[in-house]
Structures are given as C-alpha cells and as structure tokens.
C-alpha cells in the first residue's frame, strides 16, 4: 500500500511545518491558554532538572524496575516542553536560559533510549548501560529527537547557534544515521509481525528529519524507509481496522501512522491521496469511537486500561483527513469535555503545539454526535453490542496477539456507563511484563478475567490457543454472540468443548450461557468493581444491578487490593473476583 507511493515521490521533498512559527502560536492561543502555558512555564522554572546517574540506568538490568528511571527521564522532557511553550507564547526571553539548559542536558545524555529498550535485537538481553557509539532507536529516542528538532525549528533565532548545530548533530548520530544504515526489528521484515512501535517511531523519525534543513538525499532515503515501515505496520491490521493492542494503543499506532502520512503529504503534496481513499485506513481511524463507552471509559483488552483521557485533538485532525464528520464529532466532543486540552502531561511537543494551533477550530466545531451502534471486528474477533442500558463487548481471537492477556472469550459489560464486568488491565510495566514470566502476572491470567478455569488449569499463551466458531447475529431486538473457548486451554484442562453464548435483549437484560463438556469441573471467574453480595441464587452489586444464577454451587467472593499506580488510574483501592463453581455442565447467568 504505502511502498507503492515511492515511485510517485517528486524529485524535491519540501520542508514541513514552515507555517508553524512562534508568531502563529501566539496568535492562535486563547487568552486562557496563554495564561495557562505561561504559568506552567513559570512553575517549571522552579523545578530542578533531574539528575540521571549511571546507577539509575543500570537498575533495570539489576532488578527489573523501570519506573524509577523513567521518573527521572520523562520529567526532563516535560519541563522542557513547558518552558518552550511558555517562551513561544510570552516571547520575552524569560525562559530561554532554562530552555538552553534542558536542551544541553538532553544532548549530554549518553543514550536517549530507555533501559527497558536497550537492545538491538527484538526480545534480546538488555545492556546495563547505553553505548554512545552504537545507538538504539526506541520509542523515546525517536520522540526525543523529534522534540529537539521542533525546539530548534521554533526558537532557532533565539538559541545559540552552536547549540542548534549540536542538536542537529546529535539527531544525525543517534537517529538518522542508524536509521539509514542498519535494520531495527520495528522497521518491518517480510511477514514478521510488528506493532505500535513501527508507526510511533516512524512518525518521530520523519518529524526529526523534516523539522530540520536536511539535504534531499537524506530526506528521500528516510521517506522511502518510512513508507516501507508503514507498509509493514498496516499489513498486520485486518480490513476492519481493529487495533489488537487495544484502545489506548490506537493513539500510539494508528494516529501516529496518520501523522506520518501528514508529514509526507506536506513534503510531497498529493502523494498520499490514493491511499487515503482506502477503506482499511478509514476503518483504522474510526476504531476509537466504537471502543468508547462513556466519559473517559473505553472497552479494554490486552494492555490497554479501562480509563484514559484523550484530548480529541489528534482524532479530530485525522477525521478531517479522511473526511469523517462522525470521527470529527466524537473527537470534538472529547476535546470539549477534556481537562487536558493543552495536553500538559504529553511528552511529544508536536502534539502540544498542534493543540494550541487547533484550539479555536475545535472550540467552534459544532457537529452532531453519531449514535453508538453495534460493531463486529472479525479480524480480532471483537463484538460490541449496545442499547440504552448496556454496553457489551466480547473478545475472541487468540492468545498470541500483541500485548496479549490470556483472555479469549472474556466479556466486558457496562450498565448506564458504569462498569459491571471488567477487564482489569495491566500493572505498571517491569522487566517481567515483557519476559517469559509474563503470564505469572495475575492480570495476564484467564482466571482474573470473566472466564472459566478447570481445577487450577487456565488458558495458555500463544497463537495456537484461540477461539473457535465465533459468531455474531445483531437484530433490532437482541444481539447474539457465541463462540467455543475450548481451544484456548491446554490439554491438561481436559476440555472437549466450552460453548459460550451471550445475548443482549435490548433494554432488558444480558444472558450468558456456558455449556461445558470435559473431565474437570469448571469454575467461572467474574471480575467486578462493585462489591457483590450473595442473596440466594442471586448476586447483588450494590445499586448497579444483579446477576441471577442457574446451575451453580455457592459462589465465593474474593477482595483484591489495588495499589499499583497504573491500575489505580482505572479502579478504586479494591475490586472483586467472584468464583462460581458449576453444578453440572451448564451455567446460566442473567444480568439485570
């Protein structure tokens, strides 16, 4: 798809964002935004620059902790972003000294890659310290380069010429030269699967190239590799456009792909028009609005959280690109409800600049919100059904997907926008998260999803462990979703079949029927936020609703304390697991 554009590239590739200037930022920002940005910069002046020691970098290989290093690394970039935006808006030179200090500090970092990513081989061992002569291009090395290139673009006339030259030299050494001279796994290689890294890094390599006055041979070489990599990225999406990594990663994947295309369109006007008409790209763009439930809640699976706030800005711009008033309306509504319109916690400075430039357009957007509808994504076997009461999602697929949890057949359910049956999500990343011990982590295990276990046997990981016979039937009266979960379990589970049928009877109830054939007894887990209470053959979840149970022995209820910072973004300090043993071979639940 994208590689086919290479022969269409013109002889000369134009500059990018030539109209993005300090003067335009000042004119675009509202009075309230100007005050916020200057205040944030003033507060950043009082914050010390973090000190990063060799021992901080080495900690990851010693004990697997990555959050302590990242708590030093990312605040440098956030502080720099605040200072740069404050200087652009105020324009009095008050923040320039600290902008210079921040740029110098980041240029002095031995490596821009995170310790967790300090390897040239996919999944290979991490080296304790970065090698300045052998840079690794990871997500944040590329994003650092894009940020520094943008600062140079905006403030070149106010910064010392030696520093501007140093920034360009560091980007060439750490990003451009290795990008053009060696192969990193995320670039794509034949049929090998890639993930969000490909689009995310490609976007930022393009930004770091086209924000600077790079020569034409470099621009052409970078562009050709970028188009090949974006091809490798999109090939792993089905025609329905679903992101198998979940709703949060849509922002790091699909939206980054569209930013890359926007850069290329400005460098080579008209070149992206043929692909932007592709249904697949449109479906990829629309995915996020179909995953939305209410407020900041989204259907989640894999490593995606149940709650996250999106500013709506980037979705809105993509909606304009593909001429989708529905996506624009969704995005503008998200923006108007957001407390983070200026994206204060965002690492990527380009997103923040775009937030200022598009502020008035988003404020003026007056588009009717499209109704929420049922959706089926056969590529990842995700079915979504809705009515005025319930929002239901059922995930099939397989346990070899990117950022996978062993969750084939799990159900997520909201009632009146409140979580009823939940997907817990993922804890703060450590070395264990992306190691052979991944499925020792409780949040990755099927027993902590809305799924059965057989004795102590849970689902197994790997592409071979998959749903069978996933079927969907949507009518005006009800939505019927069915699948067989048996294939997701290893032989020791002794499961011949496990037919799960989920029916949403519009405006009334959700019915779940599990029919089990096998040698081991089945125990169904249900995960909830509301504390359940057993009342005869019924579970009562406070004022939210109830679950009628047929064919079960007496359930037990476990309380799970939540103290992990990442999980606390979605959940309170405790959630609950209900364990429902089958009495026979059929279990029926009716949720009202």
């Amino acid at each position: 798809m994208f590689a086919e554009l290479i022969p269409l590239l013109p002889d000369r590739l134009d500059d990018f964002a030539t109209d993005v200037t300090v003067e335009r930022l000042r004119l675009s920002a509202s009075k309230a935004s100007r005050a916020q940005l200057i205040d944030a910069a003033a507060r950043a002046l009082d914050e010390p620059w973090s000190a990063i020691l060799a021992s901080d970098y080495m900690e990851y290989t010693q004990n697997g902790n990555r959050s302590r290093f990242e708590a030093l690394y990312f605040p440098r970039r956030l502080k720099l972003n605040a200072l740069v935006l404050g200087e652009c808006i105020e324009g009095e030179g008050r923040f320039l000294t600290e902008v210079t200090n921040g740029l110098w500090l980041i240029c002095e970092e031995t490596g821009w890659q995170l310790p967790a990513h300090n390897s040239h081989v996919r999944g290979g061992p991490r080296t304790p310290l970065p090698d300045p002569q052998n840079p690794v291009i990871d997500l944040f090395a590329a994003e650092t380069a894009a940020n520094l290139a943008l600062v140079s673009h905006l403030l070149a006339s106010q910064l010392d010429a030696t520093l501007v030259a140093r920034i360009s030299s560091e980007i060439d050494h750490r990003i451009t030269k290795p990008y053009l001279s060696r192969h990193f796994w995320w670039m794509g290689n034949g049929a090998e699967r890639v993930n969000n890294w490909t689009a995310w890094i490609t976007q930022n390599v393009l930004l770091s190239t086209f924000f600077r006055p790079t020569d034409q041979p470099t621009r052409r070489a970078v562009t050709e590799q970028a188009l090949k990599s974006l091809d490798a990225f999109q090939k792993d999406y089905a025609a329905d456009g679903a992101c198998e990594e979940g709703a949060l990663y849509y922002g790091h994947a699909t939206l980054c792909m569209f930013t890359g295309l926007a850069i290329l369109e400005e460098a080579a006007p008209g070149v992206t028009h043929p692909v932007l008409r592709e249904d697949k790209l449109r479906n990829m763009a629309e995915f996020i609005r179909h995953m939305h439930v209410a407020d900041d809640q989204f259907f989640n699976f894999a490593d995606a959280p149940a709650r996250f706030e999106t500013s709506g800005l980037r979705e809105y711009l993509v909606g304009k690109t593909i001429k989708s008033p529905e996506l624009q309306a969704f995005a503008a509504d998200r923006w108007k409800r957001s407390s983070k319109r200026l994206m204060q916690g965002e690492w990527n400075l380009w997103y923040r600049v775009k937030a200022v430039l598009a502020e008035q357009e988003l404020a003026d957007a007056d588009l009717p919100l499209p109704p929420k509808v049922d959706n089926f994504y056969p590529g990842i076997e995700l079915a979504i059904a809705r009515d005025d009461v319930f929002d239901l999602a059922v995930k099939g697929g397989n346990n070899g997907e990117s950022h996978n949890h062993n969750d084939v057949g799990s159900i997520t359910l909201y009632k009146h926008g409140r979580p009823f049956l939940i997907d817990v999500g993922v804890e703060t990343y450590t070395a264990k998260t992306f190691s052979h011990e991944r499925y020792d982590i409780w949040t990755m295990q099927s027993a902590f999803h809305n799924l059965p276990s057989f004795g102590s046997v849970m689902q197994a990981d790997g592409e071979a462990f998959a749903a069978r016979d996933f079927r969907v039937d949507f009518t005006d009266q009800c939505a019927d979703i069915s699948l067989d979960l048996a294939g997701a379990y290893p032989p020791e589970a002794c499961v011949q079949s496990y037919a799960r049928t989920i029916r949403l009877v519009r405006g009334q109830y959700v019915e779940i029927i599990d029919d089990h054939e096998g040698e081991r007894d089945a125990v169904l887990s249900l995960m909830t936020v509301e504390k359940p209470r057993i009342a005869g053959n019924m579970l009562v979840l406070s004022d939210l609703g109830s679950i009628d149970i047929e064919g079960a022995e007496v359930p037990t209820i476990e309380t799970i304390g939540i103290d992990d910072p990442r999980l606390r973004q979605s959940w309170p300090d405790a959630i609950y697991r209900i364990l429902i043993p089958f009495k026979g071979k059929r279990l029926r639940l009716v949720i009202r």
Side-chain angles (χ1 to χ4, degrees):
M1 181 187 290
F2 297 119
E4 293 169 2
L5 301 180
I6 292 174
L8 305 179
L9 293 172
D11 292 337
R12 177 177 175 78
L13 295 170
D14 294 337
D15 295 338
F16 174 67
T18 55
D19 61 336
V20 178
T21 63
V22 169
E23 291 73 19
R24 187 178 166 206
L25 279 169
R26 288 175 191 156
L27 290 172
S28 299
S30 67
K31 183 177 179 180
S33 292
R34 287 197 295 270
Q36 286 185 47
L37 292 169
I38 292 170
D39 178 66
R43 284 185 279 109
L45 284 177
D46 295 329
E47 298 168 2
W49 291 105
S50 58
I52 300 178
L53 305 177
S55 55
D56 298 319
Y57 204 99
M58 296 172 71
E59 183 181 8
Y60 177 80
T61 56
Q62 294 168 345
N63 60 31
N65 182 282
R66 55 187 286 174
S67 59
R68 281 188 285 272
F69 174 86
E70 291 172 15
L72 302 172
Y73 175 98
F74 288 116
R76 281 188 175 184
R77 285 136 177 89
L78 290 172
K79 177 174 176 174
L80 178 63
N81 287 354
L83 292 166
V84 168
L85 287 168
E87 183 57 39
C88 288
I89 298 301
E90 185 180 76
E92 296 178 0
R94 176 160 59 128
F95 306 109
L96 277 177
T97 297
E98 285 306 295
V99 167
T100 298
N101 284 337
L103 292 168
W104 191 258
L105 270 174
I106 293 171
C107 284
E108 287 288 302
E109 290 175 1
T110 303
W112 286 345
Q113 70 272 23
L114 297 185
H117 303 157
N118 193 29
S119 173
H120 288 88
V121 180
R122 186 174 195 172
R126 274 46 173 176
T127 305
L129 289 171
D131 180 355
Q133 301 308 315
N134 195 14
V136 172
I137 305 177
D138 78 332
L139 298 172
F140 302 108
E143 195 152 67
T144 296
N147 285 2
L148 267 57
L150 178 53
V151 177
S152 293
H153 172 80
L154 290 170
L155 297 176
S157 63
Q158 290 106 296
L159 295 171
D160 185 279
T162 301
L163 177 58
V164 173
R166 168 81 185 278
I167 289 169
S168 193
S169 174
E170 294 291 347
I171 293 171
D172 282 339
H173 172 69
R174 298 170 190 253
I175 304 298
T176 310
K177 290 178 181 177
Y179 183 74
L180 296 177
S181 63
R182 68 178 305 159
H183 180 81
F184 294 90
W185 67 264
W186 47 261
M187 290 177 166
N189 184 15
E192 182 181 2
R193 290 180 64 80
V194 293
N195 59 15
N196 68 86
W197 277 52
T198 302
W200 195 349
I201 295 175
T202 298
Q203 164 201 265
N204 285 311
V205 171
L206 286 167
L207 287 172
S208 69
T209 301
F210 282 90
F211 277 141
R212 297 182 296 136
T214 44
D215 59 63
Q216 286 297 316
T218 297
R219 289 186 175 187
R220 177 164 292 275
V222 167
T223 298
E224 291 185 4
Q225 178 57 60
L227 286 167
K228 293 173 185 176
S229 291
L230 291 179
D231 238 0
F233 169 72
Q234 65 81 28
K235 82 174 188 322
D236 293 332
Y237 280 66
D240 58 38
C243 177
E244 72 176 23
E245 297 174 280
L248 177 71
Y249 282 91
Y250 162 92
H252 300 318
T254 294
L255 291 184
C256 290
M257 177 192 72
F258 275 100
T259 299
L261 293 177
I263 298 164
L264 295 174
E265 177 60 27
E266 197 165 327
V271 75
T272 66
H273 290 180
V275 295
L276 291 175
R277 293 192 291 266
E278 295 281 346
D279 288 342
K280 180 176 182 176
L281 295 196
R282 187 179 190 88
N283 292 337
M284 290 172 71
E286 300 277 6
F287 177 72
I288 189 65
R289 70 181 182 88
H290 297 306
M291 295 296 289
H292 182 241
V293 178
D295 302 321
D296 62 350
Q297 297 173 113
F298 291 81
F299 287 124
N300 67 307
F301 52 86
D303 279 352
R307 288 182 179 270
F308 62 92
E309 189 167 336
T310 174
S311 79
L313 162 75
R314 297 166 69 210
E315 296 87 344
Y316 180 85
L317 297 175
V318 171
K320 284 183 65 177
T321 298
I322 64 168
K323 297 180 173 57
S324 168
E326 294 85 4
L327 181 55
Q328 286 180 265
F330 164 79
D333 182 69
R334 289 289 87 214
W335 183 86
K336 290 171 182 176
R337 296 173 185 270
S338 176
S339 63
K340 300 178 180 178
R341 295 178 185 176
L342 296 174
M343 306 174 77
Q344 291 90 335
E346 174 56 56
W347 303 321
N348 191 300
L349 182 58
W350 178 235
Y351 303 165
R352 297 206 60 195
V353 166
K354 294 292 283 184
V356 176
L357 296 177
E359 180 179 14
Q360 192 59 55
E361 182 177 353
L362 281 159
D364 292 342
D366 185 17
L367 298 164
L369 271 176
K372 292 184 177 180
V373 295
D374 298 339
N375 290 92
F376 177 45
Y377 291 100
I380 61 171
E381 294 188 334
L382 172 67
I384 296 170
R386 309 176 190 268
D387 60 18
D388 292 338
V389 179
F390 293 106
D391 291 89
L392 166 71
V394 181
K395 179 72 173 66
N398 66 74
N399 285 331
E401 296 167 341
S402 183
H403 288 269
N404 173 70
H405 293 202
N406 286 343
D407 61 355
V408 168
S410 193
I411 298 165
T412 309
L413 181 67
Y414 288 79
K415 181 179 178 183
H416 295 306
R418 293 171 58 188
F420 203 118
L421 299 178
I422 67 170
D423 186 302
V424 178
V426 66
E427 294 178 314
T428 300
Y429 285 165
T430 66
K432 189 174 183 179
T433 312
F434 298 103
S435 74
H436 66 280
E437 300 178 309
R438 178 178 177 87
Y439 296 96
D440 294 342
I441 301 171
W442 68 278
T443 60
M444 312 292 186
Q445 298 172 350
S446 60
F448 293 89
H449 290 76
N450 300 304
L451 291 166
S453 299
F454 305 92
S456 60
V457 182
M458 301 179 288
Q459 290 188 8
D461 62 285
E463 189 174 352
F465 297 95
R468 303 169 182 160
D469 302 323
F470 197 105
R471 298 178 183 176
V472 173
D473 183 22
F474 295 144
T475 68
D476 291 341
Q477 290 74 40
C478 62
D480 288 297
I481 304 161
S482 62
L483 69 163
D484 190 335
L485 311 187
Y489 291 82
E492 55 266 32
C494 302
V495 185
Q496 279 79 57
S497 69
Y498 194 102
R500 167 165 280 186
T501 303
I502 307 99
R503 167 171 283 192
L504 168 60
V505 180
R506 313 275 188 193
Q508 297 184 52
Y509 60 85
V510 175
E511 178 186 60
I512 303 169
I513 297 177
D514 285 359
D515 287 306
H516 164 228
E517 293 294 334
E519 299 174 17
R520 290 177 175 265
D521 292 336
V523 178
L524 177 65
S525 298
L526 296 178
M527 306 299 296
T528 70
V529 176
E530 302 295 337
K531 185 174 184 178
R533 174 174 58 86
I534 300 172
N537 293 324
M538 179 187 295
L539 289 165
V540 179
L541 276 66
S542 66
D543 63 338
L544 181 58
S546 62
I547 305 174
D548 294 320
I549 306 175
E550 296 178 14
E553 298 176 7
V554 178
T556 58
I557 298 169
E558 298 176 353
T559 302
I560 300 174
I562 301 296
D563 55 11
D564 177 79
R566 187 164 179 149
L567 291 181
R568 285 304 303 271
Q569 293 175 18
S570 296
W571 311 122
D573 57 7
I575 60 174
Y576 303 91
R577 181 167 74 145
I578 307 163
L579 297 172
I580 307 175
F582 281 46
K583 186 177 292 184
K585 296 297 183 181
R586 166 171 281 203
L587 180 66
R588 179 174 181 262
L589 309 177
V590 178
I591 299 172
R592 303 180 191 274

